[in-house]
Amino acid sequence: MKIIDVTGVGEGAVFLLRGKANILFEAGMAYAADAMIKKIREELDGQELDAVLLSHSHYDHVAGLPAVRREWPGVKVYASERAKEILVKPGALETIRRLSREAAEASGLSWDSEYDDRDLKVDIALKDGETADIRGDQVYAFETIGHTKCSLSYMVDQDVIFASETVGVTTSEVYMPCYLVSYR
C-alpha cells in the first residue's frame, strides 16, 4: 500500500491511497482542484480512481469533488449519513460555493468555472462501525464527532488510519485539537 500527497496547493490535505483500489482521502479546495487532478492523474497513469473518502462536509474538504467527478465520472464518494444530508441542502451548498470563491480570491488563484453543486453528492453513506469493500480494500468507518457532527475517520485494511480533524492537527512542536462541536 502506498500513500501519496496529491494536495493541489500546499501539502498534507489530500492523499491518494494506492492499494488494491485507488482511493482518495478528501477532495480539497475548488481553487486547487486543477493541480490536484494533475497530480492524481500522474500517479494513476491511466488507471481509474475508485473512491473518495470524505472526513466531513466542510468546504475545504469537499469543494474539489466537481473536478474529481469530471475527470473520473464513475468514482464513488463515501461519507457519513449526516454529511450526505448536509451536502444536498441549498444553504450548505451556497456556503460552500461562497467560501470556496472567497478562498480562491484570497489566494490569488482562479475559481473553477465548471464547478457544479450537484457534484458534491455522497454516493454511499457509512455508519459508525460499518465496513465497505472497495475493490478488495476493506475500509472501516468510525465516527469521530467533535470537529463536526458529520465527522468520520477510516481504517483501511487494518493498516492505516485516515483521521478526521477531530483527532487534531500536529506539527513538529504542537498538537492542536479541532473541536468545534464537542470534545466528548
Side-chain angles (χ1 to χ4, degrees), residues 139-167:
V139 177
Y140 175 81
F142 53 102
E143 288 182 343
T144 45
I145 294 169
H147 181 64
T148 68
K149 292 181 179 178
C150 66
S151 292
L152 278 184
S153 293
Y154 305 91
M155 182 169 49
V156 180
D157 291 336
Q158 297 187 1
D159 185 38
V160 63
I161 293 177
F162 291 95
S164 77
E165 284 183 55
T166 301
V167 177

Side-chain angles (χ1 to χ4, degrees), residues 65-66 69 87-88 93 97 114-123:
L65 269 178
R69 286 191 185 276
L87 291 174
V88 296
L93 296 174
R97 192 178 328 103
E114 296 180 48
Y115 179 91
D116 188 339
D117 288 340
R118 293 173 293 187
D119 291 327
L120 294 177
K121 71 178 183 188
V122 172
D123 299 303

